Amino acid sequence: MGAVGLPARVHVREVGPRDGFQNEPETIATADKVALVNALARTGLSRLEVTSFVRADVIPQLADAVELLGAIDVPDHVSVSVLVPNARGLDAALEVRDRFDEVNVFLSASESHNRANVNRSVAESLDGIGRVAERARAAGLRCQGTISTAFGCPYEGRVPVERALEIARALHDLGCEEVGFGDTTGMANPVQVRAFFARATAELGEQVELTAHFHNTRGQGLANVLAALDAGCRSFESSFGELGGCPQSGPTHPATGNIASEDLVSMLHEMGVETGIDLAALIGASRAARDVLGRPLGSHVLTAGPVEWR
Amino acid sequence: MGAVGLPARVHVREVGPRDGFQNEPETIATADKVALVNALARTGLSRLEVTSFVRADVIPQLADAVELLGAIDVPDHVSVSVLVPNARGLDAALEVRDRFDEVNVFLSASESHNRANVNRSVAESLDGIGRVAERARAAGLRCQGTISTAFGCPYEGRVPVERALEIARALHDLGCEEVGFGDTTGMANPVQVRAFFARATAELGEQVELTAHFHNTRGQGLANVLAALDAGCRSFESSFGELGGCPQSGPTHPATGNIASEDLVSMLHEMGVETGIDLAALIGASRAARDVLGRPLGSHVLTAGPVEWR
């Protein structure tokens, strides 16, 4: 029924070890992270964001980035990415250059959110990203740029599509082969998402890979995936177990962060869209994460299991 | 991007007081039910399923059907429905005929599920429904027929679209003005749902109102709503707080039942599809239900709140 038609296959990047873990209040032992990353790396996935080179005092949970990258055992077909917030982060990352394949640089579409998040204007962020991307590319790394609050900002409200696409174009010009659009606080709806990706794919789809990063904050995460698919988006990010988001909402309601990878993969496979991922293995990794974290996770398929057609 | 385009308005039937409460293991006091039904009835909704005339020994939670119907205070614009499993249930319901407007009769699309649920063949169920519907219509009641496992059966697997539509046609012939299709165990995916409702609306849309009843078992509930909307479906059922489904999964993961009414209404309103429902009032009713039940509920919007565009 979509105007474009669904694709035979899409890319899925697992971001739980970075975007999920960083929101966990209790420190996760590096050995546990290694085991979980290794389990994820053996699910058949092709893209895995493992950690972030942020300041240890800002996100203590990810202070073991070098140690973690040195300890994981990831098959060659898996492209490992790390998040790099600035030049200092890149310096640290390049010390272990042989342990990963991509860097993820980021900023927000709205000035207020970017200021709140990294204390810079959008222009200043783009300037810094340009220098990071240049050095990263010189080191042979693929660059992904992520635009937070691309579909709405908790401070400013609506974000014009033009603004998000203008920043995406700038990121491409600065060397990003891929641009991700983040629905950071779960404000996007499917009508908006269809219009957004229809325009994004028309204007930028030839030059740059466009990736959707939805949250399930208001239960619309997979509906937004469907809408993005309809509009030609072919790349998605998700987090195993639905890790990430707002852990402060705690055990009373864990389901407010990223879309769960197993919920995404289950829906895609049921619709006939391949991911290369073994759903049972992915559920196994999420079960292991639940055991490590010792609390219920927001994922639905982790609880209900995959659809069994008999 | 949908071939049909989204409508300006849809019908939403709140089924939480019946489909949600009946799955609660602890008895809910009738006074609490009255307060919750009254709160729901003042959210602007137009359809409300309040209870079921089942045998008290089968579902003790709904044994107070007569008392509840006698005590609630529902505005005239709200159409109150009750579930009626058989002739004896209709007898009991007709004792308080002036307290409701519609009856909901039901069966399963698959023989195995119908046998497991009501110990009859599908043909026997249709026979009984015919007699119930005839008497209900004679009493001036609107009749809705619900087909469980319309998109898949946990015992038999795939259910042919032809079979579900054949039963829908039979229900219409027996006097049902509306037929609901239930994804009872959350097996449906959006591609399937689009194809299903495209065909259903083409074949039956002129004669009978077609209603979708999705579960969020695997997180796809709202994606299926979007798919059904795309294919012309204009009527939905949901449960406030995401009550219902599989409470035995318990507090470790409450989100395995019906789609949450507030998640549905939030998405619809954000997409520009009206329901007549005041989302804030609906969230208030779900908050009251959470207080009564004393446990976290699966609803996302109950936790996150509505989208605020500033």
Side-chain angles (χ1 to χ4, degrees), chain B residues 251-303:
Chain B
T252 57
H253 197 287
T256 54
N258 293 289
I259 54 172
S261 300
E262 52 269 36
D263 293 1
L264 171 67
V265 169
S266 174
M267 183 174 88
L268 290 170
H269 289 187
E270 289 294 317
M271 295 196 299
V273 179
E274 276 311 312
T275 65
I277 295 171
D278 178 337
L279 179 56
L282 177 58
I283 293 171
S286 293
R287 196 179 299 118
R290 186 176 59 190
D291 292 345
V292 165
L293 298 174
R295 64 173 178 83
L297 305 182
S299 159
H300 288 75
V301 169
L302 175 59
T303 298

CSV table of all heavy atoms in Angstrom, one decimal, chain B residues 251-303:
chain,number,residue,atom,x,y,z
B,251,PRO,N,4.2,-8.0,36.5
B,251,PRO,CA,4.9,-6.7,36.5
B,251,PRO,C,6.2,-6.7,35.8
B,251,PRO,O,6.8,-5.6,35.5
B,251,PRO,CB,5.0,-6.4,38.0
B,251,PRO,CG,4.9,-7.7,38.7
B,251,PRO,CD,4.1,-8.6,37.8
B,252,THR,N,6.8,-7.9,35.5
B,252,THR,CA,8.0,-7.9,34.8
B,252,THR,C,7.8,-7.3,33.4
B,252,THR,O,8.8,-6.8,32.8
B,252,THR,CB,8.6,-9.3,34.6
B,252,THR,OG1,7.6,-10.1,34.0
B,252,THR,CG2,8.9,-9.9,36.0
B,253,HIS,N,6.7,-7.5,32.8
B,253,HIS,CA,6.4,-6.9,31.5
B,253,HIS,C,4.9,-6.8,31.3
B,253,HIS,O,4.3,-7.7,30.8
B,253,HIS,CB,7.1,-7.6,30.4
B,253,HIS,CG,7.1,-6.7,29.2
B,253,HIS,ND1,6.0,-6.4,28.4
B,253,HIS,CD2,8.1,-6.0,28.6
B,253,HIS,CE1,6.3,-5.6,27.5
B,253,HIS,NE2,7.6,-5.4,27.6
B,254,PRO,N,4.4,-5.6,31.7
B,254,PRO,CA,2.9,-5.5,31.6
B,254,PRO,C,2.4,-5.3,30.1
B,254,PRO,O,1.2,-5.4,29.9
B,254,PRO,CB,2.6,-4.2,32.4
B,254,PRO,CG,3.9,-3.4,32.3
B,254,PRO,CD,5.0,-4.4,32.2
B,255,ALA,N,3.3,-5.0,29.2
B,255,ALA,CA,2.9,-4.6,27.9
B,255,ALA,C,2.6,-5.7,26.9
B,255,ALA,O,3.3,-5.7,25.9
B,255,ALA,CB,3.9,-3.6,27.4
B,256,THR,N,1.7,-6.6,27.2
B,256,THR,CA,1.5,-7.6,26.2
B,256,THR,C,0.1,-7.8,25.8
B,256,THR,O,-0.3,-8.8,25.2
B,256,THR,CB,2.0,-9.0,26.7
B,256,THR,OG1,1.4,-9.2,28.0
B,256,THR,CG2,3.5,-9.0,26.9
B,257,GLY,N,-0.8,-6.8,26.1
B,257,GLY,CA,-2.2,-7.0,25.8
B,257,GLY,C,-2.7,-6.1,24.7
B,257,GLY,O,-2.0,-6.0,23.6
B,258,ASN,N,-3.9,-5.6,24.9
B,258,ASN,CA,-4.4,-4.7,23.9
B,258,ASN,C,-3.5,-3.5,23.6
B,258,ASN,O,-2.7,-3.2,24.5
B,258,ASN,CB,-5.8,-4.2,24.4
B,258,ASN,CG,-6.8,-5.3,24.5
B,258,ASN,OD1,-7.3,-5.7,23.5
B,258,ASN,ND2,-7.1,-5.7,25.7
B,259,ILE,N,-3.7,-2.8,22.5
B,259,ILE,CA,-3.1,-1.6,22.4
B,259,ILE,C,-3.7,-0.6,23.4
B,259,ILE,O,-4.9,-0.7,23.7
B,259,ILE,CB,-3.2,-1.0,20.9
B,259,ILE,CG1,-4.6,-0.9,20.5
B,259,ILE,CG2,-2.4,-1.8,20.0
B,259,ILE,CD1,-4.8,-0.1,19.1
B,260,ALA,N,-2.8,0.3,23.9
B,260,ALA,CA,-3.3,1.3,24.9
B,260,ALA,C,-4.1,2.4,24.2
B,260,ALA,O,-3.7,3.0,23.2
B,260,ALA,CB,-2.1,1.9,25.6
B,261,SER,N,-5.3,2.7,24.8
B,261,SER,CA,-6.1,3.7,24.1
B,261,SER,C,-5.4,5.1,24.0
B,261,SER,O,-5.5,5.8,23.0
B,261,SER,CB,-7.4,3.9,25.0
B,261,SER,OG,-8.1,2.7,25.1
B,262,GLU,N,-4.6,5.4,25.1
B,262,GLU,CA,-4.0,6.7,25.0
B,262,GLU,C,-2.8,6.7,24.0
B,262,GLU,O,-2.5,7.8,23.4
B,262,GLU,CB,-3.5,7.2,26.4
B,262,GLU,CG,-2.7,6.2,27.2
B,262,GLU,CD,-3.5,5.2,28.1
B,262,GLU,OE1,-4.6,4.9,27.7
B,262,GLU,OE2,-3.0,4.9,29.1
B,263,ASP,N,-2.2,5.6,23.8
B,263,ASP,CA,-1.1,5.5,22.8
B,263,ASP,C,-1.8,5.7,21.4
B,263,ASP,O,-1.3,6.4,20.5
B,263,ASP,CB,-0.4,4.2,22.8
B,263,ASP,CG,0.5,4.1,24.1
B,263,ASP,OD1,0.5,5.1,24.9
B,263,ASP,OD2,1.2,3.1,24.3
B,264,LEU,N,-2.9,5.0,21.2
B,264,LEU,CA,-3.7,5.1,19.9
B,264,LEU,C,-4.1,6.5,19.7
B,264,LEU,O,-3.9,7.0,18.6
B,264,LEU,CB,-4.9,4.1,20.0
B,264,LEU,CG,-5.9,4.2,18.8
B,264,LEU,CD1,-5.2,3.7,17.5
B,264,LEU,CD2,-7.1,3.4,19.1
B,265,VAL,N,-4.8,7.1,20.7
B,265,VAL,CA,-5.4,8.4,20.5
B,265,VAL,C,-4.3,9.4,20.3
B,265,VAL,O,-4.4,10.3,19.4
B,265,VAL,CB,-6.3,8.7,21.7
B,265,VAL,CG1,-6.7,10.2,21.7
B,265,VAL,CG2,-7.5,7.9,21.7
B,266,SER,N,-3.2,9.3,21.0
B,266,SER,CA,-2.1,10.2,20.8
B,266,SER,C,-1.6,10.2,19.4
B,266,SER,O,-1.4,11.2,18.7
B,266,SER,CB,-0.9,9.9,21.8
B,266,SER,OG,0.2,10.7,21.5
B,267,MET,N,-1.3,8.9,18.9
B,267,MET,CA,-0.8,8.8,17.5
B,267,MET,C,-1.8,9.4,16.5
B,267,MET,O,-1.5,10.1,15.6
B,267,MET,CB,-0.5,7.4,17.1
B,267,MET,CG,0.1,7.2,15.7
B,267,MET,SD,0.6,5.6,15.3
B,267,MET,CE,-0.9,4.8,14.7
B,268,LEU,N,-3.1,9.0,16.7
B,268,LEU,CA,-4.1,9.5,15.7
B,268,LEU,C,-4.2,11.0,15.7
B,268,LEU,O,-4.2,11.6,14.6
B,268,LEU,CB,-5.5,8.9,16.1
B,268,LEU,CG,-5.7,7.4,15.8
B,268,LEU,CD1,-7.0,6.9,16.5
B,268,LEU,CD2,-5.6,7.1,14.4
B,269,HIS,N,-4.2,11.6,16.9
B,269,HIS,CA,-4.3,13.1,16.9
B,269,HIS,C,-3.1,13.7,16.4
B,269,HIS,O,-3.2,14.7,15.6
B,269,HIS,CB,-4.5,13.5,18.4
B,269,HIS,CG,-5.9,13.2,18.9
B,269,HIS,ND1,-6.3,13.7,20.2
B,269,HIS,CD2,-6.9,12.5,18.4
B,269,HIS,CE1,-7.6,13.2,20.4
B,269,HIS,NE2,-8.0,12.5,19.3
B,270,GLU,N,-1.9,13.2,16.7
B,270,GLU,CA,-0.7,13.7,16.1
B,270,GLU,C,-0.7,13.7,14.6
B,270,GLU,O,-0.1,14.5,13.9
B,270,GLU,CB,0.5,13.0,16.7
B,270,GLU,CG,0.8,13.3,18.1
B,270,GLU,CD,1.2,14.7,18.4
B,270,GLU,OE1,2.0,15.3,17.6
B,270,GLU,OE2,0.7,15.3,19.4
B,271,MET,N,-1.3,12.7,14.0
B,271,MET,CA,-1.4,12.5,12.6
B,271,MET,C,-2.6,13.3,12.0
B,271,MET,O,-2.8,13.3,10.8
B,271,MET,CB,-1.6,11.0,12.2
B,271,MET,CG,-0.4,10.1,12.6
B,271,MET,SD,-0.5,8.5,11.7
B,271,MET,CE,-2.0,7.9,12.3
B,272,GLY,N,-3.3,14.0,12.8
B,272,GLY,CA,-4.4,14.8,12.3
B,272,GLY,C,-5.7,14.0,12.1
B,272,GLY,O,-6.6,14.5,11.4
B,273,VAL,N,-5.8,12.9,12.7
B,273,VAL,CA,-7.0,12.1,12.7
B,273,VAL,C,-7.8,12.2,14.0
B,273,VAL,O,-7.3,11.9,15.0
B,273,VAL,CB,-6.7,10.6,12.4
B,273,VAL,CG1,-8.0,9.7,12.4
B,273,VAL,CG2,-5.8,10.4,11.2
B,274,GLU,N,-9.0,12.8,13.9
B,274,GLU,CA,-9.7,13.1,15.1
B,274,GLU,C,-10.5,11.9,15.7
B,274,GLU,O,-10.8,11.0,14.9
B,274,GLU,CB,-10.7,14.2,14.9
B,274,GLU,CG,-10.1,15.6,15.0
B,274,GLU,CD,-9.3,15.7,16.3
B,274,GLU,OE1,-9.8,15.4,17.4
B,274,GLU,OE2,-8.1,16.2,16.2
B,275,THR,N,-10.7,11.9,17.0
B,275,THR,CA,-11.4,10.8,17.6
B,275,THR,C,-12.5,11.3,18.5
B,275,THR,O,-13.4,10.6,18.9
B,275,THR,CB,-10.5,10.0,18.6
B,275,THR,OG1,-10.0,10.9,19.6
B,275,THR,CG2,-9.3,9.4,17.8
B,276,GLY,N,-12.5,12.6,18.8
B,276,GLY,CA,-13.5,13.2,19.7
B,276,GLY,C,-13.1,13.1,21.2
B,276,GLY,O,-13.7,13.5,22.1
B,277,ILE,N,-12.0,12.4,21.4
B,277,ILE,CA,-11.5,12.1,22.8
B,277,ILE,C,-10.5,13.1,23.3
B,277,ILE,O,-9.6,13.5,22.6
B,277,ILE,CB,-10.9,10.6,22.8
B,277,ILE,CG1,-12.0,9.6,22.5
B,277,ILE,CG2,-10.3,10.4,24.2
B,277,ILE,CD1,-11.4,8.2,22.3
B,278,ASP,N,-10.7,13.5,24.5
B,278,ASP,CA,-9.8,14.4,25.2
B,278,ASP,C,-8.6,13.6,25.8
B,278,ASP,O,-8.8,12.8,26.7
B,278,ASP,CB,-10.5,15.1,26.3
B,278,ASP,CG,-9.7,16.1,27.1
B,278,ASP,OD1,-8.4,15.9,27.1
B,278,ASP,OD2,-10.2,17.0,27.7
B,279,LEU,N,-7.5,13.7,25.2
B,279,LEU,CA,-6.3,12.8,25.5
B,279,LEU,C,-6.0,13.0,27.0
B,279,LEU,O,-5.7,12.0,27.7
B,279,LEU,CB,-5.1,13.1,24.6
B,279,LEU,CG,-3.9,12.3,24.9
B,279,LEU,CD1,-4.2,10.8,24.8
B,279,LEU,CD2,-2.8,12.6,23.9
B,280,ALA,N,-6.0,14.2,27.5
B,280,ALA,CA,-5.6,14.4,28.9
B,280,ALA,C,-6.6,13.7,29.8
B,280,ALA,O,-6.2,13.2,30.8
B,280,ALA,CB,-5.5,15.9,29.2
B,281,ALA,N,-7.9,13.8,29.5
B,281,ALA,CA,-8.9,13.1,30.3
B,281,ALA,C,-8.7,11.6,30.3
B,281,ALA,O,-8.8,10.9,31.3
B,281,ALA,CB,-10.3,13.5,29.9
B,282,LEU,N,-8.4,11.1,29.1
B,282,LEU,CA,-8.1,9.7,29.0
B,282,LEU,C,-6.9,9.2,29.8
B,282,LEU,O,-7.0,8.2,30.5
B,282,LEU,CB,-7.9,9.4,27.5
B,282,LEU,CG,-7.6,7.9,27.1
B,282,LEU,CD1,-8.7,7.0,27.6
B,282,LEU,CD2,-7.4,7.8,25.6
B,283,ILE,N,-5.9,10.0,29.7
B,283,ILE,CA,-4.7,9.7,30.5
B,283,ILE,C,-5.1,9.7,32.0
B,283,ILE,O,-4.6,8.9,32.8
B,283,ILE,CB,-3.5,10.7,30.2
B,283,ILE,CG1,-3.0,10.5,28.8
B,283,ILE,CG2,-2.4,10.5,31.2
B,283,ILE,CD1,-2.0,11.5,28.3
B,284,GLY,N,-5.9,10.7,32.4
B,284,GLY,CA,-6.4,10.7,33.8
B,284,GLY,C,-7.1,9.5,34.2
B,284,GLY,O,-6.9,9.0,35.3
B,285,ALA,N,-7.9,8.9,33.3
B,285,ALA,CA,-8.6,7.7,33.6
B,285,ALA,C,-7.7,6.5,33.8
B,285,ALA,O,-7.8,5.7,34.6
B,285,ALA,CB,-9.7,7.4,32.5
B,286,SER,N,-6.6,6.5,32.9
B,286,SER,CA,-5.6,5.4,33.0
B,286,SER,C,-4.8,5.5,34.3
B,286,SER,O,-4.5,4.5,34.9
B,286,SER,CB,-4.7,5.4,31.8
B,286,SER,OG,-5.5,5.1,30.6
B,287,ARG,N,-4.5,6.8,34.7
B,287,ARG,CA,-3.8,7.0,35.9
B,287,ARG,C,-4.7,6.5,37.1
B,287,ARG,O,-4.1,5.8,38.0
B,287,ARG,CB,-3.5,8.5,36.1
B,287,ARG,CG,-2.4,8.8,37.1
B,287,ARG,CD,-2.1,10.3,37.2
B,287,ARG,NE,-1.6,10.8,36.0
B,287,ARG,CZ,-2.2,11.8,35.2
B,287,ARG,NH1,-3.4,12.3,35.6
B,287,ARG,NH2,-1.7,12.2,34.1
B,288,ALA,N,-5.9,6.7,37.0
B,288,ALA,CA,-6.8,6.2,38.1
B,288,ALA,C,-6.9,4.7,38.1
B,288,ALA,O,-6.9,4.1,39.2
B,288,ALA,CB,-8.2,6.8,37.9
B,289,ALA,N,-6.8,4.1,36.9
B,289,ALA,CA,-6.8,2.6,36.8
B,289,ALA,C,-5.5,2.1,37.4
B,289,ALA,O,-5.5,1.1,38.2
B,289,ALA,CB,-7.0,2.2,35.4
B,290,ARG,N,-4.4,2.8,37.2
B,290,ARG,CA,-3.1,2.4,37.7
B,290,ARG,C,-3.2,2.4,39.2
B,290,ARG,O,-2.7,1.5,39.9
B,290,ARG,CB,-2.0,3.3,37.2
B,290,ARG,CG,-0.6,2.8,37.6
B,290,ARG,CD,0.4,3.7,36.9
B,290,ARG,NE,0.3,5.1,37.3
B,290,ARG,CZ,0.9,6.1,36.7
B,290,ARG,NH1,1.8,5.9,35.7
B,290,ARG,NH2,0.7,7.4,37.1
B,291,ASP,N,-3.8,3.5,39.8
B,291,ASP,CA,-3.9,3.6,41.2
B,291,ASP,C,-4.8,2.5,41.8
B,291,ASP,O,-4.5,1.9,42.8
B,291,ASP,CB,-4.5,5.0,41.6
B,291,ASP,CG,-3.6,6.1,41.3
B,291,ASP,OD1,-2.4,5.8,41.0
B,291,ASP,OD2,-4.0,7.3,41.2
B,292,VAL,N,-5.9,2.2,41.1
B,292,VAL,CA,-6.8,1.1,41.6
B,292,VAL,C,-6.1,-0.2,41.6
B,292,VAL,O,-6.2,-1.0,42.5
B,292,VAL,CB,-8.1,1.1,40.8
B,292,VAL,CG1,-8.8,-0.2,41.0
B,292,VAL,CG2,-9.0,2.3,41.1
B,293,LEU,N,-5.4,-0.5,40.5
B,293,LEU,CA,-4.7,-1.8,40.3
B,293,LEU,C,-3.4,-1.9,41.1
B,293,LEU,O,-3.0,-3.0,41.4
B,293,LEU,CB,-4.5,-2.1,38.8
B,293,LEU,CG,-5.8,-2.2,38.0
B,293,LEU,CD1,-5.5,-2.3,36.5
B,293,LEU,CD2,-6.7,-3.3,38.5
B,294,GLY,N,-2.8,-0.8,41.4
B,294,GLY,CA,-1.6,-0.8,42.2
B,294,GLY,C,-0.4,-1.4,41.5
B,294,GLY,O,0.4,-2.0,42.2
B,295,ARG,N,-0.4,-1.3,40.2
B,295,ARG,CA,0.8,-1.9,39.5
B,295,ARG,C,1.0,-1.0,38.2
B,295,ARG,O,0.1,-0.3,37.8
B,295,ARG,CB,0.5,-3.3,39.1
B,295,ARG,CG,-0.6,-3.5,38.2
B,295,ARG,CD,-0.7,-5.0,37.7
B,295,ARG,NE,-1.8,-5.2,36.8
B,295,ARG,CZ,-1.8,-5.0,35.5
B,295,ARG,NH1,-0.7,-4.5,34.9
B,295,ARG,NH2,-2.9,-5.2,34.8
B,296,PRO,N,2.3,-1.1,37.7
B,296,PRO,CA,2.5,-0.3,36.5
B,296,PRO,C,1.7,-0.9,35.3
B,296,PRO,O,1.5,-2.1,35.3
B,296,PRO,CB,4.0,-0.5,36.3
B,296,PRO,CG,4.4,-1.7,37.1
B,296,PRO,CD,3.4,-1.8,38.2
B,297,LEU,N,1.3,0.0,34.4
B,297,LEU,CA,0.6,-0.5,33.2
B,297,LEU,C,1.5,-0.3,32.0
B,297,LEU,O,2.5,0.4,32.0
B,297,LEU,CB,-0.7,0.4,33.1
B,297,LEU,CG,-1.6,0.4,34.3
B,297,LEU,CD1,-2.9,1.2,34.0
B,297,LEU,CD2,-2.0,-1.0,34.8
B,298,GLY,N,1.1,-1.0,30.9
B,298,GLY,CA,1.9,-1.0,29.7
B,298,GLY,C,1.9,0.2,28.9
B,298,GLY,O,2.8,0.4,28.0
B,299,SER,N,0.9,1.1,29.1
B,299,SER,CA,0.8,2.3,28.2
B,299,SER,C,2.0,3.1,28.2
B,299,SER,O,2.6,3.4,29.3
B,299,SER,CB,-0.4,3.1,28.8
B,299,SER,OG,-0.3,4.4,28.4
B,300,HIS,N,2.4,3.6,27.1
B,300,HIS,CA,3.5,4.5,27.0
B,300,HIS,C,3.2,5.9,27.3
B,300,HIS,O,3.9,6.6,28.0
B,300,HIS,CB,4.1,4.4,25.6
B,300,HIS,CG,4.8,3.1,25.3
B,300,HIS,ND1,4.2,1.9,25.1
B,300,HIS,CD2,6.2,2.8,25.2
B,300,HIS,CE1,5.1,1.0,24.9
B,300,HIS,NE2,6.3,1.5,25.0
B,301,VAL,N,2.1,6.4,26.7
B,301,VAL,CA,1.7,7.8,26.9
B,301,VAL,C,1.3,8.1,28.3
B,301,VAL,O,1.5,9.2,28.8
B,301,VAL,CB,0.6,8.2,25.9
B,301,VAL,CG1,0.0,9.6,26.2
B,301,VAL,CG2,1.2,8.2,24.5
B,302,LEU,N,0.8,7.1,29.0
B,302,LEU,CA,0.6,7.3,30.5
B,302,LEU,C,1.8,7.7,31.2
B,302,LEU,O,1.8,8.5,32.1
B,302,LEU,CB,0.0,6.0,31.0
B,302,LEU,CG,-0.3,5.9,32.6
B,302,LEU,CD1,-1.2,7.0,33.0
B,302,LEU,CD2,-0.8,4.6,33.0
B,303,THR,N,2.9,7.1,30.8
B,303,THR,CA,4.2,7.4,31.5
B,303,THR,C,4.9,8.6,30.9
B,303,THR,O,5.3,9.5,31.6
B,303,THR,CB,5.2,6.2,31.3
B,303,THR,OG1,4.7,5.0,31.9
B,303,THR,CG2,6.6,6.5,31.9
